[in-house]
Amino acid sequence: TEVKSGPAFQSAENSKLVAVMRRDAQKAKDYAERHQVPKWYNTLEGILTDPEVDAIYVATPPGSHLEVALEVAKHGKPCYLEKPMARNLTESMEIAKAFELLSIPLFVAYYRRSYKRFLRLKALLDSGRYGQVSSVQYRLERPAPAPGATPAGWRQDASISGGGLFVDLGSHALDLLDFLFGPLQLRGAAARRPEADPAEPE
């Protein structure tokens, strides 16, 4: 939110960032002051009941998306939910159903579809100018942590992220591939190091 989302909400047409929320009051205040945001809160209830707040952007790790999104729906406010939508399909469907039942807009932050370069690529692909695409290869890899190393934050904690770096970063790639070549029919496979703890995501 420091570099992309926060400034974008301030500069987008018909948009204004009027309040922010973090459980740590000092961090919420600091963010608000540095980004010229008029109000800050350290409770979810506070920002959800602010009459000046028309919509909510949820930028927490996925482990709290279900709880927070359902509260946003209860308060009748549109929600822009950071990707991945939740830790798994069950949680994602529960969120989607809550907003659908109340006819409240729900968006997930797969914004790369709107990048000019990808819109141009989509137009070229759809035009058939370069023929028919028969195969696409995409590779996403990161060095594995050394045995015994401390995991790199919540993204490698399955109870919070839902599935490690693939779910967090790979979901962007899957969404983009679906946009350019879809709809995708997913048939998955996974591999892990023989010595890896089965409770830890790759």
Side-chain angles (χ1 to χ4, degrees), residues 18 85 129 146 149 168 173:
V18 297
M85 187 173 180
R129 179 176 175 181
D168 183 60

Side-chain angles (χ1 to χ4, degrees), residues 4-5 57 80-83 107-119 168-169 171-172 175-176 179:
K4 294 187 290 186
S5 306
Y57 169 49
Y80 179 48
L81 192 60
E82 192 50 71
K83 58 81 194 164
F107 307 91
V108 181
Y110 290 114
Y111 50 82
R112 295 184 184 183
R113 291 176 173 228
S114 298
Y115 283 4
K116 289 182 179 179
R117 60 181 179 270
F118 293 131
L119 291 173
D168 183 60
L169 302 175
S171 62
H172 260 314
D175 179 71
L176 191 57
F179 172 61

